Amino acid sequence: RLQENLKPISQSAFTAVTAPMGYGKTTAINWYLDKQSKNGNSCVIRISIYSDNLSVFWQSVQKAFAFAGLDFLDNYSCPSDAASAGMLADELCYSLSGQISYYIFIDDFHLLTDSRASAFLCMLARRLSGNVHLIVAGRNQFLSSADILCLGGKVYQIGVEQLRLNRK
């Protein structure tokens, strides 16, 4: 059942995984991503969040992309306004377009409380081509009802019910 609940990730631009600690968010997504990476036509980018500091988060993003062999973010500083966020989104869309499937996994999103981060991810998800899949996991609901409405069919939500291993 859990494996079936993870399948729509490959069809979605944005997957939001929301559940309290201990529900296996990271374990489930890592299992799914390991399976995807074995097909040879995908690239997995894992981004960890360590604090509420946007600068530290941005460094983590740059290092994760560089570790995956993608260094195009090295020349960008952390976006500080809508214009620079738009330019960054354009660069991501352009650089990641193609035949390879990209899975970008951002874990522990609840640690990053700056609302600009979730707004950027929503804007990015609306622009992404079909080969790029953004997966964001956190303990708290980070998408507003308006975000979910704007994303429409581009968003897939995984919550407690999908992660629960049994009915009890």
Side-chain angles (χ1 to χ4, degrees), residues 69-90:
L70 303 166
D71 61 358
F72 63 90
L73 293 179
D74 291 351
N75 298 326
Y76 283 88
S77 57
C78 183
S80 58
D81 57 24
S84 59
M87 285 180 53
L88 176 61
D90 288 345

PDB file of all heavy atoms in Angstrom, residues 69-90:
ATOM      1  N   GLY A  69      26.722  16.659  -9.578  1.00  0.00           N
ATOM      2  CA  GLY A  69      27.409  16.999 -10.824  1.00  0.00           C
ATOM      3  C   GLY A  69      26.821  18.206 -11.534  1.00  0.00           C
ATOM      4  O   GLY A  69      27.123  18.454 -12.697  1.00  0.00           O
ATOM      5  N   LEU A  70      26.013  18.971 -10.840  1.00  0.00           N
ATOM      6  CA  LEU A  70      25.368  20.151 -11.415  1.00  0.00           C
ATOM      7  C   LEU A  70      25.876  21.389 -10.686  1.00  0.00           C
ATOM      8  O   LEU A  70      25.451  21.686  -9.583  1.00  0.00           O
ATOM      9  CB  LEU A  70      23.847  20.042 -11.275  1.00  0.00           C
ATOM     10  CG  LEU A  70      23.210  18.796 -11.892  1.00  0.00           C
ATOM     11  CD1 LEU A  70      21.795  18.620 -11.395  1.00  0.00           C
ATOM     12  CD2 LEU A  70      23.257  18.883 -13.407  1.00  0.00           C
ATOM     13  N   ASP A  71      26.791  22.119 -11.304  1.00  0.00           N
ATOM     14  CA  ASP A  71      27.413  23.258 -10.623  1.00  0.00           C
ATOM     15  C   ASP A  71      26.885  24.615 -11.083  1.00  0.00           C
ATOM     16  O   ASP A  71      27.440  25.649 -10.742  1.00  0.00           O
ATOM     17  CB  ASP A  71      28.930  23.205 -10.773  1.00  0.00           C
ATOM     18  CG  ASP A  71      29.378  23.270 -12.222  1.00  0.00           C
ATOM     19  OD1 ASP A  71      28.516  23.313 -13.124  1.00  0.00           O
ATOM     20  OD2 ASP A  71      30.603  23.278 -12.447  1.00  0.00           O
ATOM     21  N   PHE A  72      25.790  24.633 -11.833  1.00  0.00           N
ATOM     22  CA  PHE A  72      25.287  25.897 -12.369  1.00  0.00           C
ATOM     23  C   PHE A  72      24.763  26.852 -11.295  1.00  0.00           C
ATOM     24  O   PHE A  72      24.621  28.035 -11.540  1.00  0.00           O
ATOM     25  CB  PHE A  72      24.216  25.663 -13.442  1.00  0.00           C
ATOM     26  CG  PHE A  72      22.978  24.979 -12.945  1.00  0.00           C
ATOM     27  CD1 PHE A  72      21.909  25.711 -12.455  1.00  0.00           C
ATOM     28  CD2 PHE A  72      22.870  23.599 -12.993  1.00  0.00           C
ATOM     29  CE1 PHE A  72      20.768  25.078 -12.006  1.00  0.00           C
ATOM     30  CE2 PHE A  72      21.728  22.955 -12.550  1.00  0.00           C
ATOM     31  CZ  PHE A  72      20.669  23.692 -12.058  1.00  0.00           C
ATOM     32  N   LEU A  73      24.509  26.363 -10.081  1.00  0.00           N
ATOM     33  CA  LEU A  73      24.037  27.247  -9.008  1.00  0.00           C
ATOM     34  C   LEU A  73      25.176  27.948  -8.277  1.00  0.00           C
ATOM     35  O   LEU A  73      24.924  28.846  -7.469  1.00  0.00           O
ATOM     36  CB  LEU A  73      23.202  26.456  -7.995  1.00  0.00           C
ATOM     37  CG  LEU A  73      21.878  25.915  -8.499  1.00  0.00           C
ATOM     38  CD1 LEU A  73      21.166  25.138  -7.396  1.00  0.00           C
ATOM     39  CD2 LEU A  73      20.993  27.037  -9.015  1.00  0.00           C
ATOM     40  N   ASP A  74      26.402  27.565  -8.553  1.00  0.00           N
ATOM     41  CA  ASP A  74      27.551  28.153  -7.867  1.00  0.00           C
ATOM     42  C   ASP A  74      27.643  29.663  -8.049  1.00  0.00           C
ATOM     43  O   ASP A  74      28.137  30.366  -7.180  1.00  0.00           O
ATOM     44  CB  ASP A  74      28.862  27.503  -8.336  1.00  0.00           C
ATOM     45  CG  ASP A  74      28.986  26.070  -7.873  1.00  0.00           C
ATOM     46  OD1 ASP A  74      28.150  25.620  -7.052  1.00  0.00           O
ATOM     47  OD2 ASP A  74      29.916  25.377  -8.342  1.00  0.00           O
ATOM     48  N   ASN A  75      27.179  30.175  -9.165  1.00  0.00           N
ATOM     49  CA  ASN A  75      27.280  31.605  -9.462  1.00  0.00           C
ATOM     50  C   ASN A  75      26.105  32.422  -8.924  1.00  0.00           C
ATOM     51  O   ASN A  75      26.079  33.632  -9.096  1.00  0.00           O
ATOM     52  CB  ASN A  75      27.393  31.827 -10.968  1.00  0.00           C
ATOM     53  CG  ASN A  75      28.642  31.190 -11.525  1.00  0.00           C
ATOM     54  OD1 ASN A  75      29.679  31.147 -10.864  1.00  0.00           O
ATOM     55  ND2 ASN A  75      28.549  30.658 -12.734  1.00  0.00           N
ATOM     56  N   TYR A  76      25.157  31.758  -8.317  1.00  0.00           N
ATOM     57  CA  TYR A  76      23.974  32.451  -7.796  1.00  0.00           C
ATOM     58  C   TYR A  76      24.082  32.629  -6.296  1.00  0.00           C
ATOM     59  O   TYR A  76      24.498  31.736  -5.574  1.00  0.00           O
ATOM     60  CB  TYR A  76      22.698  31.653  -8.095  1.00  0.00           C
ATOM     61  CG  TYR A  76      22.227  31.771  -9.523  1.00  0.00           C
ATOM     62  CD1 TYR A  76      22.704  30.914 -10.499  1.00  0.00           C
ATOM     63  CD2 TYR A  76      21.308  32.742  -9.883  1.00  0.00           C
ATOM     64  CE1 TYR A  76      22.274  31.018 -11.813  1.00  0.00           C
ATOM     65  CE2 TYR A  76      20.868  32.854 -11.181  1.00  0.00           C
ATOM     66  CZ  TYR A  76      21.354  31.984 -12.150  1.00  0.00           C
ATOM     67  OH  TYR A  76      20.928  32.103 -13.443  1.00  0.00           O
ATOM     68  N   SER A  77      23.657  33.803  -5.840  1.00  0.00           N
ATOM     69  CA  SER A  77      23.523  34.000  -4.396  1.00  0.00           C
ATOM     70  C   SER A  77      22.074  33.682  -4.029  1.00  0.00           C
ATOM     71  O   SER A  77      21.214  33.563  -4.894  1.00  0.00           O
ATOM     72  CB  SER A  77      23.888  35.432  -4.006  1.00  0.00           C
ATOM     73  OG  SER A  77      23.091  36.350  -4.711  1.00  0.00           O
ATOM     74  N   CYS A  78      21.824  33.548  -2.761  1.00  0.00           N
ATOM     75  CA  CYS A  78      20.473  33.242  -2.282  1.00  0.00           C
ATOM     76  C   CYS A  78      19.521  34.340  -2.762  1.00  0.00           C
ATOM     77  O   CYS A  78      19.776  35.526  -2.523  1.00  0.00           O
ATOM     78  CB  CYS A  78      20.472  33.147  -0.762  1.00  0.00           C
ATOM     79  SG  CYS A  78      18.883  32.683  -0.062  1.00  0.00           S
ATOM     80  N   PRO A  79      18.454  33.987  -3.457  1.00  0.00           N
ATOM     81  CA  PRO A  79      17.541  35.018  -3.949  1.00  0.00           C
ATOM     82  C   PRO A  79      16.931  35.825  -2.801  1.00  0.00           C
ATOM     83  O   PRO A  79      16.497  35.260  -1.799  1.00  0.00           O
ATOM     84  CB  PRO A  79      16.455  34.246  -4.696  1.00  0.00           C
ATOM     85  CG  PRO A  79      16.718  32.819  -4.493  1.00  0.00           C
ATOM     86  CD  PRO A  79      18.003  32.647  -3.790  1.00  0.00           C
ATOM     87  N   SER A  80      16.932  37.140  -2.964  1.00  0.00           N
ATOM     88  CA  SER A  80      16.446  38.011  -1.889  1.00  0.00           C
ATOM     89  C   SER A  80      15.183  38.770  -2.265  1.00  0.00           C
ATOM     90  O   SER A  80      14.593  39.439  -1.425  1.00  0.00           O
ATOM     91  CB  SER A  80      17.549  38.999  -1.496  1.00  0.00           C
ATOM     92  OG  SER A  80      17.938  39.760  -2.622  1.00  0.00           O
ATOM     93  N   ASP A  81      14.769  38.688  -3.524  1.00  0.00           N
ATOM     94  CA  ASP A  81      13.555  39.371  -3.959  1.00  0.00           C
ATOM     95  C   ASP A  81      12.899  38.556  -5.075  1.00  0.00           C
ATOM     96  O   ASP A  81      13.439  37.551  -5.524  1.00  0.00           O
ATOM     97  CB  ASP A  81      13.856  40.798  -4.422  1.00  0.00           C
ATOM     98  CG  ASP A  81      14.884  40.858  -5.542  1.00  0.00           C
ATOM     99  OD1 ASP A  81      15.041  39.860  -6.278  1.00  0.00           O
ATOM    100  OD2 ASP A  81      15.537  41.896  -5.693  1.00  0.00           O
ATOM    101  N   ALA A  82      11.731  39.012  -5.506  1.00  0.00           N
ATOM    102  CA  ALA A  82      10.963  38.266  -6.505  1.00  0.00           C
ATOM    103  C   ALA A  82      11.707  38.156  -7.842  1.00  0.00           C
ATOM    104  O   ALA A  82      11.651  37.113  -8.507  1.00  0.00           O
ATOM    105  CB  ALA A  82       9.598  38.914  -6.699  1.00  0.00           C
ATOM    106  N   ALA A  83      12.415  39.208  -8.225  1.00  0.00           N
ATOM    107  CA  ALA A  83      13.127  39.189  -9.508  1.00  0.00           C
ATOM    108  C   ALA A  83      14.256  38.161  -9.504  1.00  0.00           C
ATOM    109  O   ALA A  83      14.392  37.370 -10.446  1.00  0.00           O
ATOM    110  CB  ALA A  83      13.676  40.577  -9.828  1.00  0.00           C
ATOM    111  N   SER A  84      15.060  38.137  -8.445  1.00  0.00           N
ATOM    112  CA  SER A  84      16.158  37.170  -8.399  1.00  0.00           C
ATOM    113  C   SER A  84      15.622  35.748  -8.224  1.00  0.00           C
ATOM    114  O   SER A  84      16.197  34.795  -8.753  1.00  0.00           O
ATOM    115  CB  SER A  84      17.163  37.526  -7.297  1.00  0.00           C
ATOM    116  OG  SER A  84      16.553  37.556  -6.028  1.00  0.00           O
ATOM    117  N   ALA A  85      14.501  35.590  -7.533  1.00  0.00           N
ATOM    118  CA  ALA A  85      13.880  34.268  -7.407  1.00  0.00           C
ATOM    119  C   ALA A  85      13.376  33.799  -8.767  1.00  0.00           C
ATOM    120  O   ALA A  85      13.529  32.619  -9.123  1.00  0.00           O
ATOM    121  CB  ALA A  85      12.745  34.312  -6.394  1.00  0.00           C
ATOM    122  N   GLY A  86      12.808  34.702  -9.544  1.00  0.00           N
ATOM    123  CA  GLY A  86      12.350  34.360 -10.888  1.00  0.00           C
ATOM    124  C   GLY A  86      13.491  33.968 -11.803  1.00  0.00           C
ATOM    125  O   GLY A  86      13.375  33.010 -12.579  1.00  0.00           O
ATOM    126  N   MET A  87      14.597  34.697 -11.715  1.00  0.00           N
ATOM    127  CA  MET A  87      15.778  34.350 -12.526  1.00  0.00           C
ATOM    128  C   MET A  87      16.314  32.979 -12.144  1.00  0.00           C
ATOM    129  O   MET A  87      16.690  32.190 -13.008  1.00  0.00           O
ATOM    130  CB  MET A  87      16.867  35.413 -12.360  1.00  0.00           C
ATOM    131  CG  MET A  87      16.592  36.693 -13.096  1.00  0.00           C
ATOM    132  SD  MET A  87      17.901  37.932 -12.877  1.00  0.00           S
ATOM    133  CE  MET A  87      19.366  37.060 -13.337  1.00  0.00           C
ATOM    134  N   LEU A  88      16.358  32.697 -10.848  1.00  0.00           N
ATOM    135  CA  LEU A  88      16.820  31.393 -10.385  1.00  0.00           C
ATOM    136  C   LEU A  88      15.896  30.279 -10.877  1.00  0.00           C
ATOM    137  O   LEU A  88      16.355  29.240 -11.341  1.00  0.00           O
ATOM    138  CB  LEU A  88      16.924  31.368  -8.863  1.00  0.00           C
ATOM    139  CG  LEU A  88      17.307  30.030  -8.248  1.00  0.00           C
ATOM    140  CD1 LEU A  88      18.683  29.572  -8.723  1.00  0.00           C
ATOM    141  CD2 LEU A  88      17.266  30.110  -6.732  1.00  0.00           C
ATOM    142  N   ALA A  89      14.601  30.506 -10.800  1.00  0.00           N
ATOM    143  CA  ALA A  89      13.640  29.511 -11.283  1.00  0.00           C
ATOM    144  C   ALA A  89      13.836  29.253 -12.777  1.00  0.00           C
ATOM    145  O   ALA A  89      13.821  28.098 -13.224  1.00  0.00           O
ATOM    146  CB  ALA A  89      12.213  29.954 -10.992  1.00  0.00           C
ATOM    147  N   ASP A  90      14.031  30.310 -13.544  1.00  0.00           N
ATOM    148  CA  ASP A  90      14.285  30.153 -14.981  1.00  0.00           C
ATOM    149  C   ASP A  90      15.543  29.332 -15.233  1.00  0.00           C
ATOM    150  O   ASP A  90      15.559  28.449 -16.098  1.00  0.00           O
ATOM    151  CB  ASP A  90      14.417  31.516 -15.663  1.00  0.00           C
ATOM    152  CG  ASP A  90      13.091  32.243 -15.780  1.00  0.00           C
ATOM    153  OD1 ASP A  90      12.024  31.601 -15.597  1.00  0.00           O
ATOM    154  OD2 ASP A  90      13.115  33.470 -16.042  1.00  0.00           O
TER     155      ASP A  90
END
